[in-house]
Amino acid sequence: MDKILKKHDKARLKIRNNLKLLRIEGPPHERGFQHGKILASEINELITVTLDAAAAVIAKTIHCPFIEAKERMRIGAETAFPFIPDELKEEMRGIADGVSSSGFPEINFEKIILWNTMYDQWCIYAHPKHWNPYQPEEKSEYKGGRPGSFVLGGCGCSSFSAWGESAGADGSLIFGKNMDNLSLPGILENRLILIIKPDEGNSHACMTHPGMVGIDGGFNDKGISMMTQYNPSIHETMEGCGIGILSRTVLKNASTIDEAYNVFMTHPRCTGIAYHVADAKSNNAAIIEVSSEKVTRRTPENGESRLWTTNHSNSYPGWTGYEGYNMINDQAPVYELDAVNTIENWQTSLKDPDNLYVAAPSRFERYRTLLDEYKGNINPDTAVQILCDRFDPYTGREREKFSPSISNNILATICALYPEDTFFEDEPARSFKAHTANLWSWIIYPGKGDFRVAAETFPAQYGGYVSFNLFDELADDS
């Protein structure tokens, strides 16, 4: 049963089975103000605590002082600012104004911008090259190697879509997504479903944290669903739009896969990400892989009625029916793949158990097996089985439910759980432990508006899924 927690103007925050859902509506500044006003204390906590924790992760990853990591993040946000669409700038300004009016004047517009670039900066500093904000003229030059860098355990996120004969029943398109990331201080207790009803454009739903306009895709009232997967490339920069910005832009403006593709083609991009876009009206899907320099589109092989992706590029000409630019050449140095001159060598290199950098490529093969196994019967119940799967086809072993994977490439399964790390801050001196697992998991029927979300425990799938409907949330005036 729903409980209304707070209201402001047309917005309302409610809770269902411990999951918080915020609906905002109106023009950009107004809906941002609603967001900031209702969640002011949560936003203050995240920006006060979690941003410093993010800087500690970057400091450990690239072996720099904590204070330098904070400055790098500040410069990164400043660099990205000109590329944020005006509408989302106004929404962020509204968030800042709402928080400030609620008794937190120190949470200004600049801090909201910084908070909204956090995940993008993680992506860029996870790379072996590491974008250098002090020498921007060198930002596009890949130097190779990772001397002195720390390998952060845990590369996550994966998704699948199925329709027609693959889905079975009435053939409606179903979409499943796992979002995996670090359990930084403040993150787990601040997972949020956001419903946006703009004055112009598509209404849409996404998952985020208070104060962020978006993170990880979502779906809209036109039947378009879109989810993101970290998919690194040597081509990276903060002079572009990040994952949350591009996600919201697609969801608000796209009614077809072609329109979504056009968003990526016409907006500068920060880092390598795979955007899984599905259209419930046409029963089709595409994996749109992007870097700061390239955009490619991978579609179902041989007219199949399913598609899936994980955290390594599959845009290799001749592989799964793809023809186009070879994104693997731009990814191989990042993942330190030995040989990618042929498909066979590339696939062999992906399976190297001693490779600490490659991001669990076994999950791609496991999805193929599971989608074959459940073909004709892919529904919310079997989708849960897929998204909770812990079998590693490379080792032939199933990971124990509460045991972490051995590395990024050994027992790193669809339902992810990675080893714990310790991170250090200097202001004040303190430390915290964090690890990567599933932050939230989605199962969506975008054409019907039905969606289920797991976002209570960690890994989130273990706490079960709660059902909602986008159209009901948009119409609810309680």
Side-chain angles (χ1 to χ4, degrees):
M1 185 174 182
D2 295 345
K3 178 181 179 182
I4 304 299
L5 300 179
K6 294 181 183 178
K7 289 185 176 182
H8 180 77
D9 292 338
K10 299 176 183 178
R12 54 115 169 92
L13 175 69
K14 75 176 188 179
I15 188 168
R16 180 184 298 174
N17 290 22
N18 297 319
L19 295 189
K20 291 181 179 178
L21 183 149
L22 174 66
R23 187 190 69 192
I24 56 176
E25 55 183 282
H29 187 274
E30 182 177 323
R31 60 182 186 253
F33 191 88
Q34 295 163 5
H35 182 161
K37 190 75 174 179
I38 289 176
L39 293 171
S41 59
E42 291 88 345
I43 295 168
N44 177 67
E45 175 192 2
L46 287 163
I47 288 180
T48 302
V49 175
T50 312
L51 268 177
D52 275 358
V57 172
I58 290 173
K60 185 169 185 175
T61 302
I62 64 174
H63 284 190
C64 77
F66 176 72
I67 191 68
E68 180 183 327
K70 291 185 68 172
E71 178 64 5
R72 283 174 176 262
M73 290 185 71
R74 186 195 67 78
I75 295 174
E78 186 178 83
T79 303
F81 178 78
F83 302 93
I84 300 172
D86 289 344
E87 178 176 357
L88 290 174
K89 284 180 183 174
E90 273 305 295
E91 189 169 322
M92 292 183 204
R93 193 182 303 276
I95 293 172
D97 291 344
V99 176
S100 179
S101 72
S102 299
F104 303 100
E106 65 279 7
I107 305 302
N108 56 27
F109 181 42
E110 289 71 23
K111 288 183 179 178
I112 294 297
I113 295 292
L114 176 59
W115 175 231
N116 275 271
T117 67
M118 184 188 78
Y119 283 108
D120 305 310
Q121 303 222 42
W122 277 8
C123 289
I124 214 164
Y125 284 114
H127 290 201
K129 175 259 173 186
H130 307 310
W131 177 71
N132 187 343
Y134 304 109
Q135 296 177 293
E137 69 278 2
E138 297 181 6
K139 64 182 178 296
S140 62
E141 179 185 351
Y142 179 78
K143 298 180 180 180
R146 299 182 182 225
S149 68
F150 168 77
V151 181
L152 181 64
C155 294
C157 300
S158 60
S159 61
F160 75 89
S161 57
W163 57 91
E165 64 175 1
S166 289
D170 64 359
S172 295
L173 186 144
I174 184 171
F175 198 110
K177 163 68 194 276
N178 282 344
M179 192 281 201
D180 305 325
N181 221 300
L182 267 178
S183 55
L184 292 184
I187 287 293
L188 297 183
E189 57 268 42
N190 283 298
R191 292 172 277 190
L192 178 71
I193 303 169
L194 188 62
I195 305 289
I196 305 100
K197 188 177 182 181
D199 278 358
E200 298 180 357
N202 307 323
S203 294
H204 48 286
C206 64
M207 288 292 299
T208 188
H209 303 303
M212 284 188 180
V213 298
I215 302 171
D216 186 47
F219 75 108
N220 67 26
D221 60 354
K222 299 300 189 294
I224 293 292
S225 53
M226 187 274 288
M227 295 293 180
T228 70
Q229 281 77 207
Y230 172 69
N231 194 27
S233 168
I234 60 174
H235 301 303
E236 56 184 5
T237 178
M238 285 303 294
E239 294 182 0
C241 297
I243 52 177
I245 302 302
L246 286 172
S247 292
R248 284 287 305 277
T249 303
V250 166
L251 294 174
K252 178 181 176 292
N253 296 293
S255 300
T256 66
I257 295 174
D258 284 344
E259 289 176 357
Y261 182 78
N262 187 58
V263 169
F264 299 115
M265 288 295 294
T266 56
H267 288 71
R269 304 156 303 277
C270 289
T271 56
I273 302 289
Y275 293 90
H276 186 163
V277 183
D279 182 354
K281 289 184 178 179
S282 66
N283 264 357
N284 208 349
I287 308 300
I288 301 173
E289 293 185 12
V290 312
S291 67
S292 66
E293 294 193 5
K294 298 292 181 180
V295 178
T296 66
R297 175 158 47 176
R298 180 168 61 87
T299 55
E301 183 178 13
N302 298 324
E304 290 182 349
S305 52
R306 60 183 188 171
L307 196 61
W308 68 98
T309 192
T310 56
N311 295 118
H312 69 283
S313 175
N314 283 275
S315 292
Y316 197 121
W319 171 253
T320 64
Y322 171 77
E323 295 298 335
Y325 181 81
N326 190 335
M327 295 288 273
I328 283 74
N329 286 333
D330 297 341
Q331 187 170 86
V334 181
Y335 280 156
E336 298 196 358
L337 301 177
D338 288 336
V340 296
N341 57 317
T342 67
I343 289 176
E344 292 74 19
N345 288 342
W346 165 54
Q347 287 293 300
T348 298
S349 187
L350 287 173
K351 297 177 182 179
D352 180 3
D354 296 323
N355 188 329
L356 299 178
Y357 307 110
V358 67
S362 63
R363 290 173 302 145
F364 188 86
E365 298 306 322
R366 183 59 177 164
Y367 268 108
R368 185 197 307 274
T369 298
L370 291 170
L371 293 172
D372 280 344
E373 179 181 332
Y374 290 112
K375 185 176 181 179
N377 189 34
I378 301 177
N379 55 48
D381 292 334
T382 54
V384 169
Q385 298 302 310
I386 293 169
L387 296 171
C388 292
D389 188 80
R390 303 188 310 278
F391 184 80
D392 174 12
Y394 286 0
T395 63
R397 295 163 55 192
E398 183 175 49
R399 182 181 59 76
E400 294 293 329
K401 189 172 183 179
F402 291 104
S403 296
S405 60
I406 295 172
S407 74
N408 282 358
N409 207 21
I410 303 176
L411 293 179
T413 56
I414 289 175
C415 182
L417 179 61
Y418 289 88
E420 193 171 62
D421 286 315
T422 302
F423 303 92
F424 302 91
E425 301 176 24
D426 295 341
E427 301 175 336
R430 59 189 174 189
S431 65
F432 63 90
K433 293 182 182 294
H435 63 97
T436 295
N438 183 244
L439 277 183
W440 51 72
S441 183
W442 287 73
I443 299 168
I444 308 168
Y445 278 110
K448 302 175 181 180
D450 293 330
F451 65 103
R452 298 185 186 185
V453 177
E456 183 181 357
T457 56
F458 192 66
Q461 299 103 320
Y462 296 173
Y465 292 74
V466 181
S467 296
F468 300 88
N469 181 277
L470 173 61
F471 303 114
D472 289 347
E473 298 302 331
L474 292 170
D476 185 4
D477 292 325
S478 60

